[in-house]
């Protein structure tokens, strides 16, 4: 069986068969469509195709399918697309749109009922919180936002005036500074219950570190008022339940106790997770959603942060635009990518400099070997000495990022390649998945061990045996036999890198025809670098990445604008 055959449904007929043969639909799309039509006892070729395309959209990150735009987005020649009016009429008349509905048609947007309800709930809750005016004494903003903090001051003033604040900005624009000083203003002279959260363990650990660094710059009274803050994952904040991944201990009937909740890396939050968060926040609490809407959206359905920015408009969000972190060249590269200026991106890459290098090649192996092997050797040396602090510090120095998981440009290939180079360099073959100096990435939440998807660590030798040291929201050490859901991390996907940073980042671009190559992917990869970015790939891949936008169908922004 080929890698593609298992994705094709052998039971598909009619339009489902035609679109399956054209590789538009997978088996999962077809099976859901067939099952729903069977349950409704109303087979209909046109409606079944609409349902299958809705499931396909969900798999690809949209919360619905835009029937008017799907033909252009699929861009496969010769397919027998139904006429739009016929399609809409068939869906509306079908029992699946009856009572209770399995399908919801909103204009040209077709939803499964669950996602239509979640989108409406998020819209209602967002508007209610934005309109809320928390009762509190007006703090002295000048005290913590003196001259030189004009953008951050304006953002803080907006946050003080409403129950929900969307705080956006690229890396280095002062989002964490604004959050820390805003919390100090709110906590002054009170017993404020504050929650810091992020979608992944790695993002939570970075939030904890970044906020603490800013708090440490404040006066003694502010440091005391904000002492004891600890960032956690959103799943842990809401209270995960063992029997379900869709519901939590905290909800509308059992609200979170916190007065202020800050969520970082909001671009990674799916529609479903945002719905669960909003219903758990007390009506009189403050919620601050922080993130960069130009980064990759959640791997699950939804692009909530981008929808909030689009739907609420400039007068209801707080936006920071001036970057204080990057050297001029990295900042110029990120700006050119974000604005879709392919010529500008190529110009900055060609200019190079201290903070940027470009390896314009389709055969990257030898160049990558020079970059990644020294780190792998250094990790092994530190691990053999049992020096986990040195190993973890080395792990944060450089990150190799790939768009794909599989194939010659994927993390699996390059992880194996680095291990082969390491064995050649040390003269010691790697016989097992676990070895001294193995960098590891946690790939699933393990509440029993306190580990979360996105946590990173390294394997060291302790007392003659291998131990895995994980640096998440806390530092943990385990016998390697206790860890099941981990991957080797000489290379990692750009998606998995969200919420983390490294001093130096190397991004390996796939060929220009890769379906994963996009502006958001490239921007996310570049902005993971603190000091130096290395782009590896031909000019055609660079230009394709800048030109291609991720399109996610959603009605949230429109709902917000119309409400």
């Amino acid at each position: 069986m080929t890698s593609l055959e298992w994705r094709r449904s052998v039971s598909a007929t009619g339009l489902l068969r035609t679109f399956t043969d054209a590789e538009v639909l997978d088996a999962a799309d077809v099976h859901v469509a067939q099952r729903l039509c069977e349950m409704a006892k109303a087979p209909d070729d046109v409606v079944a195709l609409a349902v299958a395309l809705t499931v396909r959209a969900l798999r690809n990150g949209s919360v619905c399918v835009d029937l008017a735009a799907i033909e252009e987005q699929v861009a496969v020649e010769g397919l027998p697309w139904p006429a739009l009016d016929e399609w809409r009429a068939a869906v509306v008349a079908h029992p699946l749109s009856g009572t209770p509905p399995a399908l919801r048609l909103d204009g040209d947007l077709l939803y499964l009922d669950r996602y239509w309800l979640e989108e409406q709930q998020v819209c209602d809750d967002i508007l209610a919180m934005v309109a809320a005016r928390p009762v509190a004494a007006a703090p002295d903003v000048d005290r913590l936002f003196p001259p030189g903090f004009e953008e951050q001051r304006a953002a803080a003033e907006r946050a003080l005036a409403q129950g929900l604040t969307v705080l956006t900005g690229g890396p280095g624009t002062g989002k964490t500074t604004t959050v820390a000083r805003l919390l100090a203003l709110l906590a002054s002279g009170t017993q404020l219950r504050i929650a810091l959260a992020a979608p992944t363990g790695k993002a939570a650990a970075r939030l904890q570190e970044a906020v603490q660094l800013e708090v440490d710059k404040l006066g003694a009274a502010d440091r005391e008022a904000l002492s004891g803050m600890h960032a956690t994952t959103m799943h842990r904040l809401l209270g995960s339940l063992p029997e379900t991944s869709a519901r939590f201990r905290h909800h509308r009937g059992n609200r979170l106790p916190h007065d202020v909740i800050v969520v970082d890396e909001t671009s990674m939050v799916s529609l479903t997770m945002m719905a669960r968060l909003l219903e758990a926040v007390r009506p009189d609490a403050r919620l601050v959603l922080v993130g960069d809407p130009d980064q990759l959206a959640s791997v699950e359905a939804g692009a909530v942060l981008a929808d909030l920015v689009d739907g609420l408009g400039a007068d209801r969000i707080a936006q920071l635009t001036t970057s204080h972190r990057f050297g001029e060249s990295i900042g110029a590269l990120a700006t050119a990518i974000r604005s879709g200026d392919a010529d500008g991106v190529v110009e900055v890459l060609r200019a190079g400099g201290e903070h940027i290098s470009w390896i314009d090649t389709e055969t990257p192996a030898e160049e990558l070997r020079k970059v990644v092997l020294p780190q792998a050797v250094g990790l092994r040396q530190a691990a053999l000495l049992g020096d986990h602090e040195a190993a973890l510090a080395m792990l944060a120095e450089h990150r190799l990022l790939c768009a794909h998981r599989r194939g010659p440009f994927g993390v699996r290939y390059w992880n194996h390649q680095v291990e082969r180079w390491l064995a050649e360099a040390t003269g010691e073959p790697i016989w097992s998945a676990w070895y001294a100096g193995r960098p590891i990435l946690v790939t699933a939440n393990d509440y029993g061990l306190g580990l979360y998807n996105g946590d990173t660590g390294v394997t060291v030798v302790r007392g003659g045996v291998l131990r895995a040291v994980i640096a998440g929201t806390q530092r943990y050490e385990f016998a390697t036999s206790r860890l099941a859901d981990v991957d080797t991390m000489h290379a990692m996907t750009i998606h998995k890198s969200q919420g983390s940073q490294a001093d130096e980042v190397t991004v390996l671009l796939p060929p220009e025809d890769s379906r994963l190559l996009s502006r958001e992917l490239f921007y996310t990869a570049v902005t993971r670098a603190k000091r130096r970015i290395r782009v590896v790939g031909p000019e055609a891949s660079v230009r394709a990445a800048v030109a291609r936008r991720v399109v996610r169908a959603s009605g949230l922004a429109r709902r917000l604008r119309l409400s």
Side-chain angles (χ1 to χ4, degrees):
M1 181 180 291
T2 68
S3 62
L4 193 60
E5 283 175 341
W6 70 270
R7 297 171 58 183
R8 291 183 173 174
S9 172
V10 296
S11 65
T13 59
L15 285 174
L16 293 181
R17 165 58 63 188
T18 302
F19 279 73
T20 296
D21 290 344
E23 299 179 9
V24 174
L25 299 176
D26 280 3
D29 311 329
V30 172
H31 293 161
V32 172
Q34 290 175 325
R35 182 61 179 149
L36 284 177
C37 288
E38 287 170 4
M39 291 174 64
K41 296 184 172 65
D44 186 306
D45 223 20
V46 171
V47 173
L49 176 62
V51 174
L53 290 169
T54 304
V55 177
R56 173 187 182 271
L58 289 167
R59 285 194 299 103
N60 292 326
S62 295
V63 297
C64 56
V65 63
D66 187 341
L67 297 180
I70 186 65
E71 180 177 355
E72 180 181 350
Q73 292 167 5
V74 169
V76 175
E77 301 259 340
L79 290 175
W81 293 94
L84 182 56
D85 289 343
E86 173 196 354
W87 217 349
R88 283 192 299 236
V91 170
V92 169
H94 197 272
L96 289 174
S97 297
T99 305
L103 300 178
R104 299 267 194 166
L105 185 62
D106 189 345
D108 291 330
L109 302 182
L110 181 62
Y111 298 78
L112 296 183
D113 180 61
R114 165 191 163 181
Y115 292 94
W116 186 90
L117 292 172
E118 285 183 344
E119 192 175 271
Q120 187 60 52
Q121 179 214 311
V122 167
C123 177
D124 293 342
D125 287 343
I126 288 288
L127 291 173
M129 293 198 70
V130 169
R133 298 293 179 260
V135 178
D140 180 10
V141 178
D142 292 338
R143 183 174 68 83
L144 289 171
F145 293 92
F149 288 82
E150 281 77 15
E151 272 193 347
Q152 290 85 357
R153 176 195 173 105
E157 288 175 338
R158 178 150 297 171
L160 291 169
Q162 55 196 38
L164 180 140
T165 301
V166 179
L167 176 62
T168 70
T173 53
K175 297 190 298 294
T176 305
T177 298
T178 304
V179 166
R181 290 172 179 261
L182 172 64
L183 293 176
L185 283 177
L186 293 170
S188 179
T190 70
Q191 295 294 319
L192 204 63
R193 290 167 293 185
I194 298 171
L196 303 177
T200 68
K202 187 63 179 176
R206 183 165 161 257
L207 173 62
Q208 170 85 34
E209 178 184 13
V211 169
Q212 192 58 54
L213 283 172
E214 293 298 328
V215 170
D216 289 343
K217 299 174 185 177
L218 303 178
D222 291 320
R223 294 199 305 272
E224 175 64 25
L226 297 178
S227 64
M229 285 193 304
H230 179 71
T232 187
T233 64
M234 292 179 67
H235 281 80
R236 190 162 193 175
L237 173 70
L238 293 173
S240 296
L241 299 172
E243 66 273 13
T244 175
S245 61
R247 292 290 170 181
F248 297 89
R249 189 170 69 251
H250 290 289
H251 45 73
R252 246 179 252 286
N254 181 30
R255 305 273 192 166
L256 289 164
H258 305 93
D259 304 300
V260 181
I261 300 169
V262 176
V263 177
D264 197 17
E265 298 291 350
T266 306
S267 65
M268 300 168 64
V269 179
S270 68
L271 176 69
T272 296
M273 198 63 188
M274 183 59 71
R276 300 292 83 81
L277 171 67
L278 291 170
E279 68 187 15
V281 177
R282 292 197 341 254
D284 60 337
R286 295 178 188 268
L287 177 62
V288 182
L289 302 176
V290 185
D292 184 347
D294 295 305
Q295 288 188 23
L296 286 165
S298 165
V299 295
E300 299 175 9
V304 177
L305 181 59
D307 283 341
L308 294 182
V309 172
D310 185 14
L312 291 175
D315 59 332
R316 291 193 286 184
I317 65 168
Q319 185 175 20
L320 304 175
T321 59
T322 305
S323 179
H324 307 280
R325 175 188 302 161
F326 292 134
E328 182 179 345
S329 54
I330 295 183
L333 178 60
T335 299
I337 294 170
R338 188 175 61 237
S339 61
D341 181 5
D343 289 339
V345 170
V346 170
E347 182 181 344
V348 173
L349 287 175
R350 282 182 177 154
E354 179 184 354
H355 303 289
I356 289 181
S357 62
W358 181 19
I359 302 173
D360 184 354
T361 180
E362 296 179 0
T363 55
E366 282 308 307
E367 294 294 338
L368 287 182
R369 189 180 193 277
K370 299 174 188 175
V371 174
V372 298
L373 182 56
Q375 183 186 40
V377 171
L379 282 174
R380 180 171 177 80
Q381 291 171 343
L384 290 172
L385 294 172
D387 190 346
H388 68 271
E389 291 293 348
L392 290 172
M394 194 171 300
L395 195 62
E397 290 176 0
H398 177 262
R399 196 66 45 85
L400 171 60
L401 303 182
C402 305
H404 292 259
R405 287 189 56 80
R406 300 176 181 84
F409 292 86
V411 294
R412 289 188 178 182
Y413 175 88
W414 288 103
N415 276 324
H416 290 314
Q417 184 63 60
V418 173
E419 289 174 342
R420 285 193 289 269
W421 289 334
L422 182 61
E424 292 172 3
T426 62
E428 300 178 19
I430 296 173
W431 300 108
S432 168
W434 290 101
Y435 54 88
R438 179 194 182 192
I440 52 179
L441 173 71
V442 177
T443 59
N445 296 334
D446 187 326
Y447 302 109
L449 296 181
L451 300 181
Y452 296 91
N453 187 1
D455 286 349
T456 58
V458 67
T459 306
V460 300
V461 177
R462 192 89 76 219
V465 298
L466 290 176
R467 304 281 291 178
V469 181
I470 309 293
T473 53
Q474 298 182 47
R475 189 68 50 83
Y476 295 103
E477 185 173 320
F478 300 101
T480 57
S481 59
R482 298 187 67 189
L483 302 181
D485 296 309
V486 295
D487 281 343
T488 301
M489 201 190 70
H490 291 295
M492 72 187 303
T493 64
I494 297 170
H495 273 91
K496 286 286 188 181
S497 75
Q498 281 188 275
S500 67
Q501 286 189 315
D503 292 336
E504 182 177 333
V505 166
T506 299
V507 53
L508 176 62
L509 294 179
E512 61 182 303
D513 60 354
S514 167
R515 294 173 63 183
L516 295 182
L517 204 55
S518 71
R519 187 183 307 176
E520 291 82 359
L521 187 90
F522 196 12
Y523 175 81
T524 300
V526 165
T527 54
R528 298 309 91 203
K530 290 182 181 178
R531 295 204 299 262
R532 181 174 176 80
I533 181 69
R534 180 184 296 102
V535 177
V536 181
E539 182 176 337
S541 293
V542 170
R543 290 187 176 276
V546 176
R548 191 175 301 142
R549 299 296 308 270
V550 174
V551 178
R552 290 199 167 188
S554 164
L556 179 57
R558 179 177 58 85
R559 290 183 200 242
L560 290 168
R561 285 195 300 268
L562 295 177
S563 299

